[in-house]
Amino acid sequence: MSETVLALEDVEAGYGRAAPVLRGLTVTVRAGEVVCLVGPNGAGKSTALKVASGLLAPRSGRVLLAGQDVTGLSPQRLLALGLAHVLQGHSVFREMTVAENVRLGGFTVRDSAKLQTRMEAVKELFPVVGERWGSMAGLLSGGQQKQVEFARALMLEPSVVLLDEPSMGLDPRNTQVVFDQIDLMRRTGVAVLLVEQNARRALEMADVGCVLDLGRVHISGPARELAADPRLGRLYLGGAPAT
Amino acid sequence: MRIASRGIPLLVACLALAYPWLVPNYYLVYAGALTVMYAAMSTSWNLLGGFTGYVSLGHSAFFGLGAYGTGLLIVRLGVPWVAALLVSAVAVTVFAVFVGVAAVRVRGASFVIVSIALVSMMNLVVQGWRSLTGGSTGLQVPSPFPDLHRGQTHIVFFYLFLALLGLALLSWWYVSRSRFGAGLRAIREDEDKAESLGVPTGAYKVTAFALSALFVSLAGGLYAVWFGSLDPIFVFSILIGSYMVLMSLLGGVRHLFGPLLGALIVAPAGEYFLIALGETQIHLTATGLLLVLVVLFMPDGILARFTRRRAGPSIPDETAEQRLQEVTR
Amino acid sequence: KTDEPGTAQPAGQQQGPVKIGISLPLTGDFAEPGNGIKDGYQVWADRVNAKGGLLGRKVELIFRDDASDPNRVSSDYESLITQDKVNLVFGPFSSRLVIPAAKVAESYNMLFVEPAGAAKEVFEQGFKRLFYAAPAIASDHYNYLADYLIKLPADQRPKTAAYASLDDPFAQGTAYGLRDKLAAAGIKTVVDEVYPPETTDFSPIAAKIAAAKPDIVVGGTQFEDSVGLVRALQELKVQPKLAAFSTGPTEPEFAAAVKGAAESILSPVGWSATATFTGNQEMIKRHKEMFNGEANEDTANGFTVGQVVEAAVNAAKCVDATKECQDKLADHIRQGTFDTVVGKLSFDDQGRPEQAHMIQQYVGGKVEIVLPEQAKTADLVYPKKPW
Amino acid sequence: MVSLLLQGLALGVLTGGLYALLASGLSLYFGVMRVVMVAHPAFLFLAAYLTYTVHTTLGVDPFLALPVTVPLFFALGVAVQRLLIARLAPDNLAMMSVLLTFGIALTIEGLLGTIYTGSYKSVSMGYATKSLTIGGVHLPYDKIIAFLVAALTLAVLFAVLVKSRFGQALRATIQHREAARLVGIRTERVAGYGFGVGLATAAVGGTVLALITPFFPASHWVWIGKLMAIIVVGGLGSVTGAALAAVLLGVVEGLVLVTVDATWATTMFYVFLFLTLLARPQGFFGGRLAHRF
Amino acid sequence: MTSLRTEGLTRSFGGVLAVDGANVELQEGRINGLIGPNGSGKTTFFNIVTGMIKPDSGRVLYRDRDITRHSPHRVAHAGIGRTFQLCRVFPRLTVLENMLVAVRRSRLRELLAGLRDRGEVERARHWLRRMGIEHLEDAEARDLSYGQQKLLELAAVLMAEPELVLLDEPAGGVNPALIDRIVSLVRDLNAEGRTFLVVEHNMDMVMGMCDHVIVFDRGAPIAAGPPAEVRDDPRVLEAYLGV
Ligand SMILES: Nc1ncnc2c1ncn2[C@@H]1O[C@H](COP(=O)(O)OP(=O)(O)OP(=O)(O)O)[C@@H](O)[C@H]1O
Ligand SMILES: Nc1ncnc2c1ncn2[C@@H]1O[C@H](COP(=O)(O)OP(=O)(O)OP(=O)(O)O)[C@@H](O)[C@H]1O
Ligand SMILES: CC(C)C[C@H](N)C(=O)O
Ligand SMILES: [Mg+2]
Ligand SMILES: [Mg+2]
């Protein structure tokens, strides 16, 4: 197996003075591997990603990136170290054009030729990005905004990617595009930490699955095995698909 | 807890009623009446600001209109003062409905700006309409109680303002318990969502706006007959309006007694700063810094400190533990 | 209540210092003249105490700042009278503050001599114990100038006049006083503008004046608007034969603010630094010692209030806050004539002074008195030099 | 009459330019940062006083004070943002910022009054009372200078906000702070600089004001209403909208002044404000994004 | 009986035709699905029906009454309730207060009635109980997890006793176990006689739950019918499912 790229070790974290959300969370992601976090709403999945990307400093525990202790570093520093994070929900810059949004994805890239080729590539991937290049991003439909967000994240070529429910609100065709991209990343050796509510679908493609509840990982193992576990199915993955 | 929450207001009410007889001189009666007036105005302000979150820095427009309306009815038409007070309050309320229809179309910061503009405009109109209002010379209103000497007049107005305060508090309390109040609070949180749940937000906002203007204009009318001289610059002053906001905010806009508490602190404090630091303009700085500190450190007001929220964020599903046991068994 | 009217003064009061309560606009719109008046009051108190006080008791001044706010001015007199139990009160600055202040004093039966409530409305409120301790009320300020212009030979006499006035009872009073007299004498009013205190840009008003090409320009102004008007008139190349502004040019900052344009500008003034009226030179000297600055009209107005009250107290032989004493003082002032730093003063039944303001002009960069004949230190320059 | 109208129009345009400069900072804070800065006029006069001090102590042209005041105000802006504004809860930033900056305005007024006393100060230069005459219309030099300075400042501001990387970063920061941090923007620094730029315009505006009108510590009050009306009519948040509205209202004011009177001219600001609300609450130019449901 | 009918509903934003002559007809008592690619105008259609956006042309009829251009609260009074694509509750009101906002008719008497009106509170508790969140009655809504907020939003809408309920992506971001619960709730409510129109990208949910499915593309329906039929429609496959 390849080496561990990202690791959260025994992390405790929370917001303000409230009770901790994460209580001793440990997760590791290896290069070229997709790790999928599933769990009920409010389990702390998004919080875990925020700790990993430096948006939220943990109260205790460590964050390791490529073996280096990066606990408490700012997102800018982590970005420079090759870690990218796509937020849950709608995080486009609403009052900027789609073009500006996408361009900001490559804010740290100084090489304009490279930016240009990346931009062409994402336009290809999500036609709506090209079609609505000059529109205010906030005026797009929910799913279109999601596409812009994903496109923005693709402007860089990170070595670790944190994805928080990337398929939420996307129609089946675009969901497919997103999952294909994740697969592509894996094949190019990128480590992916994925949170998905579309759990069956995600576990199908992921390498490792982790069930998170109350701020802790309760079960983890090969993704396919988890998906097949009937108890898990009932509790976290919903009834078996109708088909 | 119960004794404290019932007993303290009762005690304060008794103290308030006895106040004019407890203090040694009429100046303190006068200062008391002024404080109660501010308390009544900020409580009325809170009918709009506290429920809907529409911050009006321009409520002194209604104060001034109430004052001038009452004064003009008495001076120009010879209407008895009680009638003048009520008629002008009704007229101002009707006016507030019209202004409200335009003003509440904008939210947040734009509304604040509009409210500031309203005062400036009223000031210009009243000052410019010299033939009617006396313009910059001001309007002199005869005392309604020519037989009482000045100190006794203060006592009378102390109780009148106290009654107004009582009325304002009662209205706030009543609204806070009504479905109307629930609708107003929903407007504060998310206006479009409230609208989609069937709340006629426009009508609600205008009603709250007018109701709050009604009490403020009553305060203005009482002020006119009590004080006897009106000057446009000073009744239509942004400072008076912002005092209402400061008091409400300091005490806590989500609480019935918040604005009252704020008034009890700010009015005497203002008096103190002016006497202690009055020789230079540094007292303005003191007031300004007080405002800054309140906004930074007590945005929810003093009372919010005592009524802490019980639950923190993230209430786990009750079933979560059971769920876990089942899985990890 | 200890301050119930008719309650006897505590015994100690009869012996202690004579307390005089004063509220002044030390901050806010009228801060500048307010502080000038304060100096005048202090110089007066210093002089009186040097002479042994009032009726043998030391004088103690208690100042409050009303921040130019009529609400505060009322509070201040309220607390001075009922809480500090002062023996006498002196007035604040500005007609706008004098009216509410006098109302409080009147209702506690206090004598109210004031240094700066010149607008005619002040005297129409039915106050019985109010007196304005300066030579003339606002509408009479320009009287000498009106006489001068009307008496000019027909070929020199201006034909048209433009008036611009701040919306303020005093400022408007001065301008309209002159306007009415000149209009009656056949000098045509071609522009008559009133602007609110919020006005910051005077060019369009000047443009209106420029379009009317008046022979004379008269401003009813406080300070900043006089500067604004002068500058705007210059920019629009208005060159009248005469320009007069109330208050602004009498403030020490004026000449610097308008640079060279001050030359030949006229304005009414109630006091002169060179006059030898009772106590004038002494006041100027003492002012310089105490505050290290030149006395001005505001100082003199404050000082005058002190002089008038002092004379009344000495004549009536009482300084209590009681109705009897205050009435006695008021009656004395109504009947008497007083020697002050602005000359002899007497008052009519409403408290109006019955004398006249002088007219000053910047001549050769210096302020000179040009009217009336008997008081003048230089000749009036007419038509004025272009600015 | 025609020449009077022309004169009113010319003056209106020039004054409108000044208004645009004075309001530009306001619409920057509001449009870009969601902060209602009631203290902006107070800062304008703070700058005017500093200009006055520099002018009187060193005897130099007021515009030479700019190299001192502009960086100083920039730093002040950064400090105000980092120490005060940044601490406000984001959920009702607009409201709280009104009150906070109101407090700042009072603080400044009090300090100015204490240091400089309540009396009027003014800076007068020889060129400030001359004018250029074209076809019977007089164009005062001070107004021309003000107009040019305003145009220049606005052009710079526009370039900084719309074209530069910094401007993009600033807007991104305000619109979604977490996402901005995740694309590598140093959000705290950027927000501070944004406020600094706003206050830097106040430094320029204050210098021009000092040249044009006498001032005292309470002068800022009369400007609050006018400037706020301008940015509402222009469409809160649009720097260009505010500039256009400023010129429009300047012209209306000038024309009403020469034809009717000053009270009506000032009232026009508020009349336009209310008309705007009735016709187009989001303002006539620019305007905000409608909420998505 | 027809519940909702729209005739030639059209709305464009700038150059974008969001809804383009949409004719839709819903039968009373059914669970209707509304699917379509991102940006096909589903949310805009909801907004027009509920009065939040004015159409450029066309009519909206509810139970044969013309409600075109009625303000949102009047639409609500007519008996149409809706949820939002991104869950919206009143964050600083308690759960119970959230429930009491809904207004059925704007009668004065109802407005002035005390908030603690027994009947209303009982009704609110009833709905909370059905959603399984009755124990949270006194918590502030912002303290709830996302899933709990979704349930609260639905409960608050039901307080107004709508006959027609429009749900915009009820399963978006919701954990699969909860989706099952929402599905069974919708079924129960439908059995009680309420009509539903559900926008959703989760095909399993739509196909399993709906009686009738409408497919939108470019602002207008391109197909409608029972789920099985729609799923195999070639146009739908092409436009939406992307195979
Ligand atoms: N910014 C915040 N401030 C305070 N509390 C928060 C904040 N963000 C999240 N929480 C709390 O932390 C808990 C965990 O939230 P988190 O977003 O990590 O859950 P999640 O597993 O991602 O859930 P979901 O599937 O709904 O996205 C939630 O219950 C929430 O109440
Ligand atoms: N206010 C607006 N201004 C401009 N364009 C808008 C506006 N609202 C919607 N649109 C556009 O209209 C189209 C339809 O949007 P709508 O939100 O209705 O799509 P949707 O079907 O709900 O998509 P999704 O599945 O992604 O939520 C989109 O192209 C969108 O960009
Ligand atoms: C002559 C001045 C001292 C008068 C003063 N300005 C007033 O308002 O009355
Ligand atoms: Mg999450
Ligand atoms: Mg949608």
Side-chain angles (χ1 to χ4, degrees), chain A residues 13-16 18-22 38-50 56 88-89 164-165 168 195-197 212 215, chain B residues 312-316, chain D residues 178, chain E residues 142-149 173-175:
Chain A
Y15 300 91
V21 174
L22 300 181
V38 295
N41 294 114
K45 304 180 295 294
S46 301
T47 307
L49 297 199
K50 286 184 191 170
L56 185 69
Q88 180 182 18
D164 205 343
E165 307 202 18
M168 181 172 142
V195 172
E196 257 299 340
Q197 290 297 5
L212 205 71
Chain B
S314 163
I315 302 165
Chain D
E178 283 193 339
Chain E
R142 58 175 164 168
D143 293 340
L144 268 49
S145 78
Y146 189 74
Q148 289 165 340
Q149 290 186 13
V174 173
N175 117 63

Side-chain angles (χ1 to χ4, degrees), chain C residues 28-29 31-32 193-196 198 200-201 203-204 207-208 211 223-224 227 231 234-237 253 256-257 259, chain D residues 4 7 11 15 119-120 122-124 128-129 131 133 138 140 142-143 211-212 214 216 222-223 257-258 260 262-263:
Chain C
D29 292 6
E32 179 73 2
E193 278 287 301
V194 178
Y195 48 85
E198 288 81 5
T200 48
D201 182 11
S203 312
K208 255 183 155 167
F223 179 78
E224 125 240 45
V227 176
R231 285 201 194 174
Q234 265 182 289
E235 286 174 348
L236 295 186
K237 305 190 176 153
E253 289 86 2
K259 271 281 170 65
Chain D
L4 184 58
Q7 179 72 60
L11 288 172
T15 311
S119 62
Y120 283 99
S122 62
V123 173
S124 56
T129 52
S131 62
T133 308
H138 305 288
D142 58 353
K143 295 256 165 72
L211 201 65
I212 284 185
F216 76 117
V222 297
W223 288 94
L257 259 171
V258 296
V260 196
T263 301

Side-chain angles (χ1 to χ4, degrees), chain A residues 141-143 169, chain D residues 292-293, chain E residues 38-39 41-44 85 168-169 199 201:
Chain A
S141 81
Chain D
R292 287 270 303 169
F293 302 110
Chain E
N38 290 134
K42 306 179 294 294
T43 301
T44 309
Q85 190 164 349
D168 201 348
E169 297 198 23
V199 166
H201 290 300

Side-chain angles (χ1 to χ4, degrees), chain D residues 195-232:
Chain D
F195 217 79
V197 170
L199 269 198
T201 69
V204 181
T207 303
V208 175
L209 264 185
L211 201 65
I212 284 185
T213 149
F215 44 91
F216 76 117
S219 297
H220 66 109
W221 294 112
V222 297
W223 288 94
I224 293 179
K226 272 191 175 180
L227 296 184
M228 293 286 179
I230 287 173
I231 65 167
V232 173

Side-chain angles (χ1 to χ4, degrees), chain B residues 114-267:
Chain B
V114 169
S115 71
I116 293 177
L118 182 66
V119 197
S120 307
M121 186 152 122
M122 287 305 122
N123 176 28
L124 280 171
V125 168
V126 171
Q127 176 143 318
W129 197 341
R130 207 176 173 80
S131 56
L132 178 70
T133 63
S136 56
T137 312
L139 184 70
Q140 308 304 320
V141 186
S143 167
F145 310 114
D147 299 334
L148 299 184
H149 70 71
R150 192 173 177 88
Q152 290 165 331
T153 316
H154 293 338
I155 297 186
V156 172
F157 277 97
F158 179 86
Y159 286 115
L160 284 173
F161 280 122
L162 206 58
L164 183 65
L165 172 63
L167 208 60
L169 286 172
L170 205 67
S171 311
W172 201 94
W173 179 79
Y174 189 77
V175 170
S176 78
R177 297 176 49 96
S178 72
R179 313 221 356 142
F180 174 55
L184 292 179
R185 288 201 188 96
I187 287 171
R188 176 183 71 207
E189 301 289 321
D190 186 339
E191 213 165 317
D192 300 322
K193 170 77 186 174
E195 179 86 25
S196 81
L197 285 174
V199 179
T201 52
Y204 270 38
K205 285 185 291 181
V206 171
T207 309
F209 191 73
L211 194 62
S212 130
L214 168 68
F215 289 116
V216 173
S217 77
L218 278 173
L222 280 176
Y223 174 88
V225 276
W226 174 38
F227 219 68
S229 55
L230 300 174
D231 185 319
I233 293 195
F234 297 100
V235 293
F236 295 102
S237 125
I238 297 184
L239 258 157
I240 293 186
S242 46
Y243 268 140
M244 294 183 219
V245 184
L246 173 59
M247 289 166 181
S248 305
L249 212 68
L250 180 66
V253 290
R254 281 155 199 268
H255 303 271
L256 173 59
F257 295 114
L260 169 59
L261 179 67
L264 289 179
I265 294 171
V266 173

